[in-house]
């Protein structure tokens, strides 16, 4: 087998991270085929999608991984190595990687830590060394590693850790830098050990295209519940948010809680629900992996997933998730018996604060929180110095300096040439993270990352907003005095 290994990048002396491979210093971004296409995969699909990621300006916003999910092999050869399906990938996996790399993308693949994958193709359990060698030789940059058919090797954190660690060791042995993404569905308290060996770990059963509908296939909302033995599937956006709320702080640069792939654009939610879904995944520092068919994307979807002010929260170099500071379960319930509101707040690297008012109730709701509540993680009872200053409020879904208008988004989609699309994006001065990384843009105070200014909260005051049904209001608070707490630090100090 021809090897094309790439040595892992040298690690900076100051870098602290358990997995210690230098990858995913901010949550990974890209596209995965599973949510729309399942097993209907091919080289043609991956290359057509990657072209559109580039054409629509999404690659330059950070969507760099093109991840092939299940159903790509025909089993194992006599030598024990996986054999790609040549009907789907006639030139082999290495050729796919080469073509994606040439266009500036990174290539992801899939396997399972079981005897079979979830679609019942050959899994990698007990073949970790051979499969890691294959992935590395093909030029793979990302491995999504599932949890089906594990032959009973689960039930305690240590058993699951050991099973997943076999692939971690095998990947490391290849010498190639490969992002390692566990898909263990939150099983065996993966949030307590995933960061030791992987760059991300799934915390729940599979997501489906619903904002809040309960489903018996996703019955476990509390990872600490000892009866939660079946993470399941059909997990709504709200169910996943409520599950991760108690351990969002386990995510750190290089190792992230994974709330599963994005459903934006699949058609099962309203525009406001999709906006809330996208914003919560960004603020909770989940990987942002698109799951829609870009060949059929509409303007509404593009104007959600290309919002640089929301993405800047995801890619903030501080790398800390927002924290839920309040939850009201007495809100009006909808047709599914669901009704609640939540307030989330989190520190950003330049001293700003992200605040989200999430309304899962059945009607529009007036929501509010005091500065004392919003900065409680900096000091209880209003003792945080942040409470004693004024804060400028910026709406990250605002029409000025944040979200692309649907008319412009439609023009991007309708453009018939790369030059025409590039001209539209240039005319709109749309953000390009390839040219100016988010950390630099935030350091420079780039208005395209900060949202639309909508007001001020005075010292000791209260942030208030009316939030539509099944929606989220997302704000960036900036110190009106230029101070944050005791003194404003630069982004460089946070890295």
């Amino acid at each position: 087998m021809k090897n094309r290994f790439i040595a892992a990048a040298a690690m900076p002396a100051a870098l602290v991270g358990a997995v210690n491979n230098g990858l995913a210093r901010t949550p990974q971004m890209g596209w995965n085929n599973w949510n729309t296409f399942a097993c209907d995969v091919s080289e043609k699909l991956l290359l057509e999608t990657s072209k559109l990621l580039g054409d629509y300006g999404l690659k330059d916003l950070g969507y760099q991984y093109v991840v092939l999910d299940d159903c790509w092999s025909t089993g194992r050869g006599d030598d024990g190595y996986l054999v790609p399906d040549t009907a789907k990938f006639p030139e082999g996996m290495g050729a796919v990687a080469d073509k994606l790399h040439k266009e500036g993308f990174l290539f992801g693949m899939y396997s399972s830590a079981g005897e079979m994958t979830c679609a019942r193709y050959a899994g990698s359990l007990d073949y970790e060394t051979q499969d890691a060698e294959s992935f590395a030789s093909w030029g793979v940059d990302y491995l999504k590693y599932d949890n089906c058919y594990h032959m009973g090797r689960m039930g305690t954190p240590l058993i699951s850790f050991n099973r997943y660690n076999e692939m971690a060791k095998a990947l490391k042995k290849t010498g190639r830098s490969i992002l390692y993404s566990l898909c263990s569905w939150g099983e065996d308290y993966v949030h307590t050990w995933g960061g030791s060996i992987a760059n991300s770990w799934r915390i729940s059963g599979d997501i489906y295209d619903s904002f809040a509908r309960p489903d018996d296939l996703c019955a476990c909302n509390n990872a600490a519940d000892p009866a939660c033995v079946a993470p399941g599937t059909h997990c709504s956006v709200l169910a996943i948010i409520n599950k991760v709320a108690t351990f969002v702080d386990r995510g750190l640069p290089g190792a992230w809680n994974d709330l599963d792939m994005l459903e934006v654009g699949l058609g099962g939610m309203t525009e406001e629900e999709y906006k809330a879904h996208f914003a919560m995944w960004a603020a909770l520092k989940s990987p942002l992996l698109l799951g829609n068919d870009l060949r059929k994307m509409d303007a509404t979807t593009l104007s959600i997933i290309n919002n640089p002010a929301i993405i800047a929260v995801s890619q903030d170099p501080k790398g800390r998730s927002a924290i839920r500071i309040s939850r009201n379960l007495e809100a009006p319930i909808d047709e599914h018996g669901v009704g609640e509101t939540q307030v989330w707040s989190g520190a950003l690297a330049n001293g700003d604060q992200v605040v989200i008012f999430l309304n899962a109730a059945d009607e529009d709701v007036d929501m509010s929180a005091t500065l004392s509540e919003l900065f409680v993680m900096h000091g209880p009872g209003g003792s945080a110095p942040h409470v004693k200053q004024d804060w400028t409020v910026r709406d990250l879904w605002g029409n000025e300096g944040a979200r692309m208008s649907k008319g412009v988004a439609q023009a991007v989609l309708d453009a018939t040439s790369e030059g025409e699309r590039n001209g539209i994006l240039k005319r709109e001065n749309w953000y390009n993270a390839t040219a100016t990384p988010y950390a630099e843009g935030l350091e420079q105070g780039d208005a395209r990352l900060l949202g639309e200014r909508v007001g001020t909260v005075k010292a000791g005051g209260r942030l208030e907003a009316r939030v539509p049904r099944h929606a989220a209001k997302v704000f960036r608070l900036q110190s009106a005095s230029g101070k944050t707490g005791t003194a404003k630090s630069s982004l460089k100090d946070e890295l």
Side-chain angles (χ1 to χ4, degrees), residues 390-410:
D390 298 347
W391 292 86
T392 299
V393 181
R394 295 183 175 274
D395 182 353
L396 298 192
W397 285 115
N399 293 324
E400 297 180 12
R403 189 180 185 187
M404 179 181 280
S405 75
K406 294 178 187 177
V408 171
Q410 190 63 58

Side-chain angles (χ1 to χ4, degrees), residues 17 28 39 110 159 180 207 240 246 254 307 325 339 343 376 431 441 467 482 488:
Q28 61 265 33
C39 282
Y110 166 99
I159 293 173
Y180 188 32
I207 191 172
I240 293 172
T246 58
N307 183 333
I325 60 171
V343 179
V376 68
Y431 197 77
V467 187
K488 185 174 182 179

Side-chain angles (χ1 to χ4, degrees), residues 328-351:
N328 173 21
L329 297 175
E330 298 180 356
I333 62 173
D334 62 17
E335 67 273 20
H336 302 305
V338 174
E340 63 180 273
T341 61
Q342 304 179 12
V343 179
W344 293 73
S345 183
L348 301 172
N350 62 349

